Amino acid sequence: MQFRPAAEADLDRLLGCVVVDESISWAHADRLLSLLESRNYRFDRIWLAEENGEIMARAVWWGFAGEERPLALDCVYVHPSVEDRVGLAAELLNHAHAAFGQKPAYHVFVSNGWRDNPQSSAAIAWRWEAAGRAGLTEELERLRYAWTSGSPVPEPSKRLVFRGDDDDEVFVDAFRQVAEGTLDFYTRQALMTTDPVEQAREDVRDNKSMKGDRSWWRLAYDEAGDLAGIALPSANDGGPVVGYLGVVPSHRGRGLVDDLLGEITRFHAERGVQRIVADTDAGNVPMARAFERAGYDNFAIRLVLSADPGAA
């Protein structure tokens, strides 16, 4: 068995990797072609296990166009003839992780109630075991929400004033503040190994890499002129999203999350947007309730496996 990154000459065979009976998200042919064109997929981020010229397993990673590091594992495929698909998939991921020098998290999108669907639960089970063997052991379930144009548009906040700022360092300081005591799993995990200011700078860089305009970003100030939070409307490959929002610790407990989410929702709605998508951790109950109050519907689940930052 040979393990290697893909090359352009492999494209036809890559498109032949087809999942026919597993109702989960994966890099199907149309998605593969589209994201190769946009550079969110790259051949050097697609790894193959090959035997006698046949692709026996394939793993596909997603990243921002123009960025060197892959950010997320998007797809794990093993040929139906392979008896030990867990073992082969784990070995493939380990080879890729060694080449990347990192272990990007694995993201899978499933429908609500996926645990009661035998096809979905079986498809997740072997992939989860393989990813765990490759060091992705931290499990997270995120709720996917959507606001549509038929829902009410929130009224402007009467408690906060929203302003943009061209200085990235102003947003770095704001990100640093809202990260303190956050319920967000990703941020808590990152702060276990990263200086808060450096983590805030990385958050700013990542948000600037998204498809939303930097000019959309807003800082929220209270009546006294003190910073109360951040509200970042944004967009990704699928369309408009709630990019980021957070309340600084000194202003928590006042329900300002509703004002911040309302500002993002209203901003997109006034641009004529028909649908806004957002995610939050299943354990972040206050944020989930805020989405529901704002007229967002929970339409799906994102499952994430990531590496333990404290592990060697």
Side-chain angles (χ1 to χ4, degrees):
M1 191 74 68
Q2 180 187 9
F3 299 90
R4 64 173 177 86
E8 190 170 355
D10 298 310
L11 181 57
D12 286 344
R13 291 188 303 138
L14 289 171
L15 296 175
C17 299
V18 177
V19 173
V20 295
D21 60 353
E22 297 181 325
S23 52
I24 63 170
S25 66
W26 63 287
H28 54 76
D30 289 344
R31 178 175 176 83
L32 192 74
L33 289 171
S34 174
L35 294 190
L36 280 170
E37 183 177 0
S38 69
R39 300 281 293 168
N40 295 115
Y41 287 167
R42 293 184 351 197
F43 287 106
D44 61 345
R45 294 181 189 152
I46 301 172
W47 272 70
L48 310 177
E50 188 178 46
E51 186 175 50
N52 298 323
E54 185 172 5
I55 295 175
M56 306 308 295
R58 183 191 77 173
V60 183
W61 282 263
W62 181 96
F64 288 121
E67 294 284 336
E68 284 305 309
R69 62 189 178 118
L71 289 183
L73 174 60
D74 218 16
C75 174
V76 176
Y77 159 90
V78 175
H79 193 279
S81 67
V82 174
E83 292 185 10
D84 183 13
R85 55 185 177 181
V86 171
L88 182 58
E91 192 171 2
L92 177 61
L93 296 182
N94 279 322
H95 277 83
H97 290 166
F100 295 152
Q102 63 179 119
K103 298 177 180 179
Y106 182 20
H107 296 244
V108 180
F109 298 91
V110 291
S111 301
N112 289 321
W114 66 272
R115 289 180 177 86
D116 299 322
N117 181 318
Q119 286 186 336
S120 295
S121 57
I124 293 297
W126 72 263
R127 288 175 170 87
W128 251 219
E129 184 178 351
R133 290 189 193 179
L136 303 179
T137 57
E138 296 288 298
E139 298 186 8
L140 176 66
E141 184 167 328
R142 288 176 64 81
L143 307 176
R144 308 206 71 209
Y145 285 92
W147 178 94
T148 58
S149 57
S151 303
V153 178
E155 294 293 325
S157 174
K158 297 180 180 178
R159 302 183 290 179
L160 299 176
V161 174
F162 292 90
R163 296 198 296 268
D165 199 303
D166 294 333
D167 187 351
D168 283 356
E169 285 301 307
V170 174
F171 277 95
V172 167
D173 185 62
F175 270 90
R176 177 191 60 79
Q177 292 187 56
V178 302
E180 182 180 342
T182 181
L183 295 177
D184 182 76
F185 173 84
Y186 291 133
T187 305
R188 296 199 318 270
Q189 189 183 52
L191 289 172
M192 292 175 62
T193 57
T194 307
D195 173 79
V197 174
E198 287 307 310
Q199 175 57 34
R201 287 203 173 98
E202 185 170 339
D203 284 337
V204 169
R205 286 194 298 269
D206 285 348
N207 279 279
K208 286 181 71 175
S209 297
M210 295 182 68
K211 293 183 179 292
D213 290 346
R214 168 65 172 81
S215 62
W216 296 352
W217 296 10
R218 294 293 182 266
L219 297 167
Y221 297 90
D222 66 9
E223 299 90 340
D226 295 326
L227 180 68
I230 310 174
L232 270 61
S234 194
N236 60 21
D237 292 327
V241 297
V242 175
Y244 187 94
L245 63 87
V247 180
V248 301
S250 61
H251 285 70
R252 289 174 185 157
R254 299 171 52 199
L256 294 181
V257 63
D258 292 336
D259 300 61
L260 300 175
L261 180 57
E263 178 70 11
I264 294 172
T265 306
R266 189 170 51 258
F267 174 84
H268 280 314
E270 290 176 352
R271 296 192 304 116
V273 163
Q274 300 297 302
R275 187 171 187 262
I276 309 165
V277 175
D279 283 10
T280 193
D281 300 348
N284 191 345
V285 176
M287 191 68 246
R289 288 176 176 168
F291 281 126
E292 291 159 8
R293 287 194 298 270
Y296 285 70
D297 292 323
N298 173 216
F299 69 94
I301 302 291
R302 181 204 298 255
L303 302 176
V304 185
L305 278 184
S306 58
D308 180 353

